[in-house]
Amino acid sequence: MGAKTSSNIQKQVLMVGLSGSGKTHFLYETYAFTGNSKDRETRGFNYELLDTEKGKIGVWDIGGNEIMREHWCYFYQNVEFSGVIFMVDASSEESLKNMSENKKLLTHLVNEEELRDIPFVAFFNMKPDKGETTADIVKDVSLNPIFQDFLKFLGKLKDRGIEIEIIKPDERNLTVTSRLRNWLTKVLEPS
């Protein structure tokens, strides 16, 4: 295992997911880093230091293309992470076809020695197309058997004792940003 970073930053969070799942867009839109939001593929990684009510937290947004996925391990072998955000694009029938790849990646991550004892959050990103609302997507996706199967898979991980929170929009509570911020704040709690 490589040398862990030591800095004044209390905690570090790893944000990963397949390419196009919305990691970078979410990071910059959620925390209002104006001018930095981009809708193109992250070819390497982005790092932002966020201020929360409990302190600063470093967020590592690592690209999700096939080449970068092979390098995710170098990040978590050399940085001591306090939590993992696994971003899943669940905004369309097309994106749901990637659920088996998401399962494979998440299974690998939760079994990695460096990540085994830290909390995970599975964040379902549902980006409406023009003319659609998030509520429309939620109705369509929530009934999809592929999506339901993925939720069962996450339940099985929880049953194994893996700390994983599921954040997804629903028709009553379309704002998930505050729930993710609450999770980040919880990650800052002393171990």
Side-chain angles (χ1 to χ4, degrees):
M1 188 169 3
K4 299 286 183 179
T5 61
S6 62
S7 67
N8 294 334
I9 301 164
Q10 293 99 334
K11 304 286 178 152
Q12 304 285 337
V13 170
L14 177 65
M15 183 162 56
V16 292
L18 290 174
S19 185
S21 61
K23 299 175 298 296
T24 303
H25 183 79
F26 180 80
L27 175 64
Y28 289 112
E29 290 298 314
T30 301
Y31 290 96
F33 294 111
T34 54
N36 289 329
S37 179
K38 55 185 182 178
D39 289 326
R40 65 183 188 278
E41 179 182 353
T42 300
R43 299 198 187 274
F45 69 94
N46 297 298
Y47 178 82
E48 292 297 339
L49 189 58
L50 308 179
D51 284 314
T52 71
E53 52 195 55
K54 299 235 177 168
K56 293 186 184 292
I57 190 163
V59 178
W60 296 77
D61 161 27
I62 314 299
N65 65 48
E66 198 170 333
I67 293 169
M68 281 306 298
R69 289 194 308 259
E70 293 175 15
H71 298 281
W72 286 357
C73 64
Y74 298 117
F75 289 90
Y76 56 77
Q77 288 171 351
N78 292 290
V79 176
E80 188 173 340
F81 289 105
S82 299
V84 177
I85 300 169
F86 189 83
M87 185 78 75
V88 177
D89 180 9
S91 56
S92 68
E93 289 287 328
E94 189 62 34
S95 65
L96 290 175
K97 292 177 183 173
N98 293 322
M99 286 302 174
S100 63
E101 185 67 17
N102 282 312
K103 277 186 193 179
K104 186 173 103 180
L105 291 170
L106 192 52
T107 299
H108 175 76
L109 291 170
V110 300
N111 287 299
E112 286 289 279
E113 181 181 337
E114 298 85 356
L115 304 176
R116 197 171 288 147
D117 297 322
I118 64 172
F120 278 72
V121 62
F123 188 94
F124 291 93
N125 192 14
M126 298 183 180
K127 307 168 285 196
D129 288 329
K130 288 181 181 174
E132 263 187 323
T133 67
T134 305
D136 294 333
I137 296 171
V138 170
K139 272 187 206 170
D140 292 345
V141 169
S142 62
L143 299 173
N144 188 296
I146 297 170
F147 183 72
Q148 292 301 318
D149 182 57
F150 193 76
L151 289 178
K152 286 178 190 171
F153 161 75
L154 293 175
K156 287 178 183 175
L157 291 179
K158 283 180 137 181
D159 290 345
R160 282 184 32 209
I162 294 166
E163 187 179 341
I164 188 161
E165 187 167 330
I166 300 165
I167 298 179
K168 61 183 176 70
D170 60 43
E171 292 172 75
R172 295 173 309 286
N173 177 20
L174 299 180
T175 301
V176 294
T177 304
S178 63
R179 290 174 55 204
L180 185 57
R181 284 186 180 162
N182 290 340
W183 182 84
L184 285 170
T185 301
K186 193 167 74 175
V187 165
L188 279 172
E189 296 290 329
S191 307

